[in-house]
Amino acid sequence: MVCDVTVWGADGGDIRSVGELVYTASGFDLDYTMGGDNCRFSVRGDSVSQSRRGNVNTELSFRRDRETACILLTGELTGSIPVKTVSLDIVCGEEGVSADIVYYLGGAKINLKLSAVIRKENI
């Protein structure tokens, strides 16, 4: 379903994009663009992942109260950085989805908020 995506806390400001939302048996996949890169935000039960491909290539995974990793896949910057998820709130509904994630990437605290509102022509 075509949706309007807003991401707060990424690249230093609000990012708006048109996306494609697909519900699955245990969550959803949301494809959108950010800074010209192709992104996917996926939820499967209590596991969340975010990937970005293009100028920046990363794979982040989130699990509440667990340490995971951010994998960097860009040229000489290949490697991983620890991710510690503090809070992870995901909402799925008929009108779309939202996520509010607070995590530490290395030593920096980040609050990532994402919403995808399904366009009315899809409902």
Side-chain angles (χ1 to χ4, degrees):
M1 291 173 271
V2 177
C3 56
D4 294 308
V5 178
T6 305
V7 181
W8 299 267
D11 286 358
D14 297 355
I15 305 294
R16 296 184 188 280
S17 177
V18 175
E20 182 70 25
L21 176 64
V22 176
Y23 290 103
T24 67
S26 61
F28 63 87
D29 290 322
L30 174 64
D31 293 313
Y32 61 98
T33 59
M34 181 166 51
D37 293 347
N38 294 320
C39 301
R40 172 169 275 185
F41 188 87
S42 294
V43 174
R44 296 291 183 276
D46 64 351
S47 295
V48 176
S49 64
Q50 182 179 34
S51 66
R52 182 171 176 172
R53 295 288 183 270
N55 294 319
V56 177
N57 297 304
T58 59
E59 293 276 344
L60 278 129
S61 59
F62 306 99
R63 294 206 56 192
R64 188 181 346 262
D65 297 324
R66 297 227 179 131
E67 190 167 296
T68 55
C70 171
I71 308 297
L72 304 171
L73 307 164
T74 304
E76 294 178 13
L77 296 177
T78 300
S80 67
I81 301 170
V83 173
K84 173 68 174 168
T85 306
V86 177
S87 66
L88 180 63
D89 297 309
I90 306 293
V91 176
C92 293
E94 293 179 15
E95 296 180 4
V97 298
S98 65
D100 188 352
I101 305 171
V102 177
Y103 64 99
Y104 286 90
L105 179 61
K109 184 178 182 181
I110 299 171
N111 185 359
L112 173 66
K113 295 183 181 194
L114 175 142
S115 74
V117 178
I118 297 170
R119 290 188 171 180
K120 296 212 184 289
E121 64 263 22
N122 292 298
I123 299 176

